Amino acid sequence: MTTYVITVPGTFVHGMSDHARSDIERRLRPQDPKNTDLGENEELSLLTVEEGGRFAARVEVEAADRSSAEHEAVRLVSGALRDSGLAEDDAMLGAAVVTGIDTGIDREL
């Protein structure tokens, strides 16, 4: 298994309250990419929200391949949004993308 950092972009269609944001972050906290070397070095934020409701959720997942990692990340993010009370129409998700890969192998250059 390989550890992937996946970014799932999206848009909060009707805005988002501070309470909802905190709840989403709490639900995603176990998958915080800061647990990886990449996340720590790049200072990746778990959830970034821009003007106009655009957001990016970055999560750490373990998977056998890139496609499985992207699918799992979307499942985790959509679940956190749903469990925080947002309907699918309230937070539209874009295509997940691999932000980083941590194979656990230290290479000396």
Side-chain angles (χ1 to χ4, degrees):
M1 295 291 247
T2 301
T3 301
Y4 293 86
V5 176
I6 308 291
T7 299
V8 180
T11 302
F12 292 113
V13 178
H14 306 289
M16 183 184 57
S17 69
D18 289 338
H19 174 70
R21 180 183 179 145
S22 295
D23 193 47
I24 293 164
E25 289 177 329
R26 181 182 58 78
R27 292 174 190 282
L28 291 174
R29 185 69 52 209
Q31 285 77 39
D32 192 337
K34 289 202 187 262
N35 297 327
T36 67
D37 288 340
L38 175 74
E40 186 176 321
N41 292 338
E42 299 296 323
E43 298 181 12
L44 296 177
S45 297
L46 183 60
L47 181 64
T48 304
V49 181
E50 303 291 332
E51 286 186 43
R54 293 181 315 272
F55 70 90
R58 293 171 192 85
V59 294
E60 168 192 340
V61 297
E62 285 195 24
D65 56 49
R66 170 182 241 122
S67 178
S68 298
E70 291 169 346
H71 178 75
E72 178 65 6
V74 169
R75 187 188 70 75
L76 290 167
V77 172
S78 63
L81 294 168
R82 182 184 59 251
D83 292 347
S84 295
L86 295 168
E88 191 173 320
D89 292 343
D90 293 331
M92 307 297 282
L93 297 180
V97 65
V98 173
T99 306
I101 300 172
D102 184 359
T103 61
I105 300 171
D106 292 329
R107 295 190 177 126
E108 193 172 306
L109 300 176

